[in-house]
Amino acid sequence: MDAITPPALVEALALRDALPADRPLNLSRRGLLGASLGALVLGVALRGAPARAQAAAAGGAAKPGTRVPAFLEIRPDGAILLRSPFVEGGQGVSTAMAQIVGEELDADPARFVVECAPPGADYMVVNGRRLTGGSFSVRSSYATMRQLGASARRMLLQAAATRLGVPLDSLSTEPGRVVHAGSGRTLDYGALAAEAAALPVPDGAPLRAEADFRYIGKPVARLDAREKSTGKAVYAIDLAVEGMLQAAVQHAPRLGCEPGAIANEAAVKAMPGVHSIHRLPGAVAVVADRWWRARRAAETLEVAWSEPAADARNVMPADFSSDGMRAALAAASGPGNTAETVGDAATALKGAARTVEASYDAPYLAHGQLEPPSAIARWNADGTLDLWLPNQAPEMFQRVAAQVAGIAPEKVNIHSPMLGGFFGRHFLYDAASPFPQAIQLAKAVGRPVKLIWSREEEFLRDALRPMGLARFRAGIGADGLPVALEAEAVGEGPIGRWFGTKPGAADPSAVEGISGKPYAIPNRQVAHVPLRNPAVIGFWRSVGHSMNDFFYEAFFDEMADAAGQDPYALRLRLLAEKPRHKALLEAVGALSGGWKRGPYEAADGTRRARGVAMASPFGSEVATIAEVSLKEGEVVVHDVWVAIDPGRIVNPAIIEAQVNSAVALGLSSALLEEVVYADGAPQARNFDGYPILPPDRMPRVHVRIVESGAPMGGIGEPGLPGVPPAVVNAVAALTGQRIRSLPLSKTRLGAA
Amino acid sequence: MELIINGTPRRVNSEADTPLLWVIRDELGLTGTKYGCGAAQCGACTVLVDGQPTRSCVTPVESVAGLPVTTIEAIGEDPVGRRVVEAWVAAQVPQCGYCQSGQVMAATALLKQTPRPTEEDIAAAMTNLCRCGTYNAIAAATRQAAQG
């Protein structure tokens, strides 16, 4: 994932205007403000995990997720610091980790303070890697983190046994302390932490019986609700370090263009608070004492941008447009790379009583997380570099930051604050993160630099959900059941872009949601027709599912219509041999008061209809029903019912919240969102031109969690993919209009 | 110029047309008020100016000189604000939390002016964006705070 490896970055940077820092600063001198544990002085640590754990952990040979001191510190008052492998960005993973570890440690999750761990081998608990994404955090680390908690509890018990001079098996625990029932004596964990720290990590510490769980599976309160309700939560954009300057950039209008002459450089340099002006790869930057001064100066710069060099990487063509891209996707012919083959779809189509064909597409999308990207870079006297930045993968950012800085990775200290939303935004994508610029600016000015991208610069450099298109052909048999389905997903997925795919192989992130569907259609052929996006693309909540389940599940209703069947009944019939899916579809039907497609008249006199969709994203199963009406040509979504089966669960309240959140984002994409490019530039640079779901378009959301006992699936993303097709299918039922291109705001609905 | 921030006079030297948001965040170091869009679209920067919910990212600082400005940092000093916060915690409203300072300020402003709001009042007052889609929880918590 060498996404950001500009080999000539250092050389390209004009190290000019390194003025002495002679301007008065009005920044706090208290050093790092608002670090997540700034107020929590950890008195006693289990073997004193170092503040710079990355260096220590990097050398450790222990299996990831086993070295208790790398994860846990317990202070005398019983507060527990957990260094989590995962970053909290709203999905509730910090609370989930406290529940899982607390369950086995025997400690109330409310006593935990959770922060994202620094880079280090100890934290590579996601199949030997580390990232926060793919709805993978809890399900990938559940067993590891349980065992970690159990190991820590065992160490505390051993320390207590030694202290009290009693056999270990005469001791038990209750939340936060060890109990010797024989004598009635108790010892708080905080009082044992130092002794426990001296002990080796035990093997095979026993786990609590699931029937005795008090925290796992319960709606434990989020650890961060109060700080987030009082403005005390600290995000990267809120941080300050002693002596820092602040920077803003003006990016090249198109990727690949480079800054040339600046017509008004002297005038801008004279603007209030301006420290220096810098040319960076693909951008100009202003460093100032305060951010607003830097921003105002940066946007004032009149820059002559060169056209991209012939050999430049990642060039945004001057004539690129999203309309043109859609046409290119439509023109890209198959057969492409096979993703799924069952039976013989081509032959079955020839023999079908009738066939149905349709082409669907979905636009580029922006992440629109409300916290704009930022980074603080501080070069230290010993040659090390500290970086504070939003990220979903500390080790990956560490490695790339080291390349940019020209130092060894272990000399880069990565700090990963809480994220003000992410949805896939904070992985590594080309030219999509401020940290390389911050590193270079800090080097140039000889002081720490905090760089914030304005919302407008963020819209210019966000890594987009790719535009996609899918062509379907289905054959209906004489019995009214589908006998064959052919599908071609045209475009590019972020897995292929950033991790590569084998030659001739389908990109899973381009076909997921079209392949892997559970319906009993006896002949199926799914292929990926690759077409590269000139725009930088990235992961966006539910990735390929975010559009592919819309394509497939909407086309499914077209098949049902062609076969003269009710779409809910046809799904049930084609899931007859899939008990997990069938049960879920029945569950969402029941949750909605019994399936009815409509149209029908609601109590308020509006004419309404419902649509249904299924999805199998990220190891979970989801069934969704939406009810809609029309108002002045726009769809009104009244209720969304979601039944979700993640197999097994950790926190039902957070699951319900995440489903609400996924419904909102899925609905936002269905109704409103579209990044439009013209002449190589995004036409919207803020939320006025790129509307996202406002409160008055939020439907009621009803959630039923089904614990089937299947292997644990994901939670953060799975609620999304079913929403666009359920809404579009409801619109079709209501109006007869079959919408095959999102967002719905492009089409005036109902009688013209 | 002199501002009255959370009841305390504060002398600031930012240019007169600097948005209030950046004076609060950068010059005064009160980072609970958030920058989301800079264009009065999202409301993450909502503060109270003389009791009115105000999008500080487009409010020139000179326009509030001498007027009482309340930020999220002072939310606990107001009985209505405290009630809103407790309702927010009870309803477990925040997800990423980035917009919630502004949401809490907007709800506080509403309930101070309209202690018993109708659904329409809530819809009209609570227009800030939330990318995590906590809108239903926000509305429920606002209703709860009004009853509390």
Side-chain angles (χ1 to χ4, degrees), chain B residues 45-104:
Chain B
C45 65
T46 303
V47 299
L48 306 189
V49 176
D50 210 6
Q52 296 298 317
T54 302
R55 293 186 167 177
S56 63
C57 71
V58 293
T59 302
V61 63
E62 65 180 338
S63 72
V64 304
L67 297 175
V69 175
T70 307
T71 72
I72 188 71
E73 281 81 3
I75 196 68
E77 294 164 24
D78 183 280
V80 176
R82 281 199 297 275
R83 229 165 54 223
V84 169
V85 167
E86 292 311 315
W88 245 245
V89 174
Q92 294 280 292
V93 172
Q95 291 190 22
C96 93
Y98 195 75
C99 74
Q100 298 297 345
S101 293
Q103 305 281 6
V104 166

Side-chain angles (χ1 to χ4, degrees), chain A residues 461-487:
Chain A
R461 286 291 178 270
D462 189 7
L464 307 176
R465 197 287 299 270
M467 178 183 278
L469 179 144
R471 289 186 284 265
F472 294 95
R473 220 169 142 226
I476 312 293
D479 60 356
L481 292 176
V483 293
L485 178 72
E486 278 184 353

Side-chain angles (χ1 to χ4, degrees), chain A residues 614-673:
Chain A
M614 304 282 291
S616 307
F618 305 94
S620 290
E621 298 294 339
V622 184
T624 307
I625 290 175
E627 181 181 79
V628 308
S629 68
L630 292 188
K631 188 176 178 185
E632 293 165 7
E634 284 193 336
V635 63
V636 178
V637 182
H638 298 275
D639 291 87
V640 174
W641 296 270
V642 180
I644 180 167
D645 174 10
R648 311 167 65 196
I649 71 169
V650 170
N651 190 320
I654 289 177
I655 291 173
E656 187 166 342
Q658 283 299 291
V659 170
N660 262 268
S661 175
V663 166
L665 196 55
L667 186 59
S668 190
S669 73
L671 297 182
L672 299 168
E673 294 187 36

Side-chain angles (χ1 to χ4, degrees), chain A residues 222 228 235 238 673 693, chain B residues 34 92 95-96 131 135:
Chain A
R222 289 185 67 113
K228 286 176 172 175
Y235 305 85
D238 301 325
E673 294 187 36
L693 193 78
Chain B
K34 301 306 184 197
Q92 294 280 292
Q95 291 190 22
C96 93
R131 190 57 160 165
Y135 297 129

Side-chain angles (χ1 to χ4, degrees), chain A residues 89-90 222 226 228 235 237-238 246 290-291 293 296 367 370 454-455 657-658 661 673 686 693 699, chain B residues 13-15 17 19 22 25-27 34-37 86 92 95-98 100 126 131-132 135-136:
Chain A
R222 289 185 67 113
R226 185 169 295 277
K228 286 176 172 175
Y235 305 85
I237 202 170
D238 301 325
Q246 303 210 53
R290 296 180 192 154
W291 188 76
R293 289 169 166 169
R296 174 163 292 175
H367 289 92
L370 278 193
S454 68
R455 178 59 63 184
Q658 283 299 291
S661 175
E673 294 187 36
N686 210 315
L693 193 78
Chain B
N13 64 9
S14 291
E15 287 72 56
D17 59 352
W22 293 103
R25 284 181 59 85
D26 257 9
E27 188 168 356
K34 301 306 184 197
Y35 168 54
C37 67
E86 292 311 315
Q92 294 280 292
Q95 291 190 22
C96 93
Y98 195 75
Q100 298 297 345
M126 301 301 291
R131 190 57 160 165
C132 301
Y135 297 129
N136 289 330

